[in-house]
Amino acid sequence: MASKNTPGLSQERMTKEERRQAAREKARMLKELEAKQAQRRKVIMIAVGAVALLLVVFAVWQIISSDRGDAKQLGSYTGSSREVLTDNVAADGGVLFDENQVATSEESGKSVVGLWSDFMCPACEVFDAKYVPLMKDHATNGDIQVSLHLVNTLGTDFSTKGATAFYYLAQYAPEKVWDFNTAMMEHGKKIHDQTVPAVPTAADIADIAKSVGVADDVVNDLPASILDSKWQDVVAKTVGTFRDNGFTGTPTLTVDGQADDSWTKGNPDEVVPEILKKAAGKQ
């Protein structure tokens, strides 16, 4: 019967020199293996270090970019975001105005003519220029009370920041917010006419507020405030009411909360004045 030990492989049958050679070969193989493992660890460490360095560079770039972006948005204005107060904003997101076009929380008892608008809506710009002056005349005479609702249904940057600024000024510059609304509509038209930058910064909007006489301290805090998500939530809430009411487009004209779109089906120059006249005659 053959031996279980294969001839030539048994340590007992190897010569002393053969055992030395086998040991040297084994040592060489272990050394090569260790060298390969060390090289692999080195490559991994270099890769990890490179990734870590890239992450640090990216984080720094993000901070620098953010700072530059904020600096561009804020311009020369150094103020901070003010407390979110909505004393002059009704539950439906509307801002009521008294006979002198000052934002107020008090209802006059007259019919309320509401207007839902977006500062980047071309039709809103036309409506504001042609028919809001008629609304103002009726309001000044005490025939009706006007309520303005600003939304960002078009989703543009100017829509959002502009509407947010409207609600900010309704609280902190109630005597100027009507004029601000008019100036913003005019600016929206300039954007569509491509005579001003298409994406105004928060500082640009503050400049518009300043141009209608808003106090310097209020203007100084306006950019930081309208960039604040808590202030922008006021607009989001108004848009939610807009959707809940089943409204689908701007401008939307309402009388005592009920939409009247009859002016879109006829000649607006005839129908809008008639709507206002009927609202004034409800008393």
Side-chain angles (χ1 to χ4, degrees):
M1 184 175 179
S3 172
K4 292 183 180 179
N5 294 322
T6 303
L9 295 182
S10 172
Q11 287 287 337
E12 290 79 3
R13 295 187 181 184
M14 293 176 65
T15 66
K16 187 176 182 180
E17 181 59 29
E18 287 173 337
R19 286 197 295 272
R20 287 199 189 105
Q21 289 179 357
R24 285 196 292 269
E25 179 64 17
K26 183 177 181 180
R28 184 189 65 79
M29 293 176 65
L30 288 174
K31 188 174 181 181
E32 286 184 358
L33 180 60
E34 289 176 356
K36 289 179 180 179
Q37 290 176 339
Q39 181 65 23
R40 188 178 298 112
R41 287 194 295 269
K42 183 177 179 181
V43 171
I44 292 173
M45 289 178 66
I46 292 173
V48 170
V51 171
L53 179 60
L54 286 174
L55 290 174
V56 171
V57 171
F58 179 73
V60 172
W61 177 81
Q62 287 282 73
I63 293 171
I64 293 174
S65 298
S66 176
D67 289 344
R68 287 176 178 174
D70 288 345
K72 182 178 179 181
Q73 284 293 330
L74 298 175
S76 61
Y77 296 101
T78 59
S80 57
S81 179
R82 292 196 176 189
E83 182 181 2
V84 180
L85 299 175
T86 54
D87 296 334
N88 293 327
V89 181
D92 65 352
V95 175
L96 287 169
F97 291 87
D98 64 18
E99 296 177 6
N100 297 311
Q101 289 74 60
V102 177
T104 180
S105 60
E106 297 183 11
E107 298 181 6
S108 67
K110 305 294 183 180
S111 286
V112 176
V113 176
L115 181 62
W116 300 71
S117 305
D118 186 312
F119 285 134
M120 275 302 286
C121 162
C124 297
E125 295 157 12
V126 173
F127 193 100
D128 191 88
K130 296 188 70 173
Y131 307 121
V132 169
L134 293 177
M135 295 168 62
K136 179 180 178 180
D137 289 343
H138 279 288
T140 300
N141 292 333
D143 300 332
I144 63 172
Q145 190 168 22
V146 173
S147 176
L148 299 181
H149 307 67
L150 269 297
V151 293
N152 61 342
T153 54
L154 295 181
T156 71
D157 190 68
F158 185 57
S159 299
T160 299
K161 290 189 178 73
T164 305
F166 173 84
Y167 289 108
Y168 167 81
L169 294 176
Q171 179 66 36
Y172 291 107
E175 74 288 354
K176 296 296 182 180
V177 67
W178 180 287
D179 292 337
F180 174 76
N181 179 77
T182 301
M184 288 290 284
M185 285 295 178
E186 293 171 352
H187 195 86
K189 186 177 186 305
K190 291 177 183 177
I191 292 175
H192 289 123
D193 292 340
Q194 299 183 344
T195 59
V196 295
V199 186
T201 64
D204 292 330
I205 294 174
D207 288 343
I208 294 172
K210 188 173 184 177
S211 74
V212 299
V214 175
D216 288 344
D217 63 318
V218 177
V219 172
N220 194 44
D221 289 338
L222 186 148
S225 296
I226 68 175
L227 292 174
D228 189 329
S229 61
K230 294 188 294 293
W231 272 107
Q232 292 186 8
D233 284 344
V234 178
V235 181
K237 184 178 179 181
T238 304
V239 172
T241 302
F242 180 87
R243 303 298 187 200
D244 291 342
N245 287 342
F247 303 154
T248 57
T250 53
T252 291
L253 187 67
T254 63
V255 177
D256 295 327
Q258 298 299 312
D260 188 336
D261 62 354
S262 59
W263 65 276
T264 66
K265 302 171 183 177
N267 181 352
D269 291 343
E270 296 176 356
V271 180
V272 172
E274 187 61 28
I275 291 173
L276 298 178
K277 184 178 178 180
K278 287 182 179 179
K282 278 189 173 184
Q283 315 313 315

